[in-house]
Amino acid sequence: MNWRKWLDGFVLAGKGILLATKEKRFWYGFIPSFIFFGMLMNLLASGTGKFELMGVLGFPENLRILLDSFLSIFGINQPFLDWLPVFAISLLQGILIGLIVLLWNKKREQNSANLEKAGIITGLIALGAGCPTCGTTLLTPLISAIFSTGTLAIAGTISTIVTTLAIIIAILSLKRLGEETYVTIINEKYLKRKAKEEREKSL
């Protein structure tokens, strides 16, 4: 493996993500997915107890639980070591989905021959197949829920391993999508500049 080329891919992906943050459609995907995954993981952090509690409580209490889960995304009333992995996964997941939304729209606008491919990638990521980040991310709180009785000391180790794998897979997925985003945005700018130059020549 050419490590220099592989690392350069991360640099390119980083540039692609920075370019994506200047696009409104990126935020349309990022914000709701970041909040959704953050709240879901916080709700399931101690098992299914919160959902069971919400099933018997009234509206004001349920709203308070949801608000606490939302605030926990940003570390409020959360131990730092518990907050950090949840925030990291939610952030990475939000960026991934934001890039997917942006790429889908741009390829549709460009009438790209890769539109079908982009659609397939979007579907696979949404289902957690092909890009296992979503599935792995959801496994983290679910495994915590299964072992939440505290009778198995291995539970914490499993949760830590799955969380670490989720972050690694998310970063590798970001490399791929970030590179594609960079190429797509740069190509779009080139085509616009070329079209403008052709219009000016025709005048």
Side-chain angles (χ1 to χ4, degrees):
M1 178 184 290
N2 190 331
W3 289 102
R4 178 65 180 273
K5 183 179 179 180
W6 192 71
L7 292 174
D8 286 344
F10 275 104
V11 174
L12 199 65
K15 292 179 179 178
I17 294 170
L18 286 176
L19 288 173
T21 59
K22 300 176 182 179
E23 304 270 350
K24 290 182 180 179
R25 283 168 296 191
F26 168 81
W27 297 103
Y28 294 157
F30 171 81
I31 293 174
S33 57
F34 170 71
I35 293 173
F36 171 78
F37 279 99
M39 290 184 66
L40 179 63
M41 294 184 71
N42 280 309
L43 285 170
L44 290 173
S46 57
T48 58
K50 289 185 179 179
F51 284 104
E52 293 172 358
L53 190 61
M54 290 172 69
V56 297
L57 294 177
F59 175 74
E61 290 79 8
N62 286 341
L63 190 61
R64 189 176 298 110
I65 292 173
L66 291 174
L67 179 60
D68 288 342
S69 298
F70 174 77
L71 294 176
S72 295
I73 299 174
F74 306 98
I76 298 174
N77 299 323
Q78 282 281 91
F80 179 76
L81 293 180
D82 291 339
W83 164 78
L84 185 60
V86 172
F87 179 80
I89 292 175
S90 301
L91 181 65
L92 293 170
Q93 194 70 29
I95 295 173
L96 277 169
I97 295 177
L99 292 178
I100 291 167
V101 171
L102 179 62
L103 280 172
W104 169 257
N105 281 279
K106 285 194 173 296
K107 289 189 179 293
R108 184 177 59 183
E109 288 174 354
Q110 295 174 10
N111 293 319
S112 172
N114 291 325
L115 180 59
E116 183 180 350
K117 178 183 175 183
I120 292 172
I121 292 172
T122 302
L124 289 176
I125 293 178
L127 293 172
C131 174
T133 307
C134 298
T136 308
T137 299
L138 291 174
L139 280 176
T140 304
L142 291 177
I143 287 177
S144 298
I146 292 170
F147 296 108
S148 62
T149 57
T151 58
L152 296 178
I154 197 172
T157 303
I158 292 175
S159 181
T160 301
I161 291 172
V162 174
T163 302
T164 303
L165 287 174
I167 292 174
I168 292 172
I169 294 170
I171 291 173
L172 294 176
S173 301
L174 278 178
K175 176 181 179 292
R176 178 182 175 185
L177 283 176
E179 288 175 318
E180 187 171 352
T181 300
Y182 178 82
V183 171
T184 301
I185 292 177
I186 293 300
N187 182 60
E188 181 184 56
K189 290 182 177 180
Y190 168 76
L191 292 175
K192 286 181 178 178
R193 185 170 64 251
K194 185 177 179 181
K196 182 180 178 181
E197 291 173 353
E198 289 178 353
R199 285 197 302 270
E200 291 175 349
K201 289 180 180 178
S202 63
L203 294 177

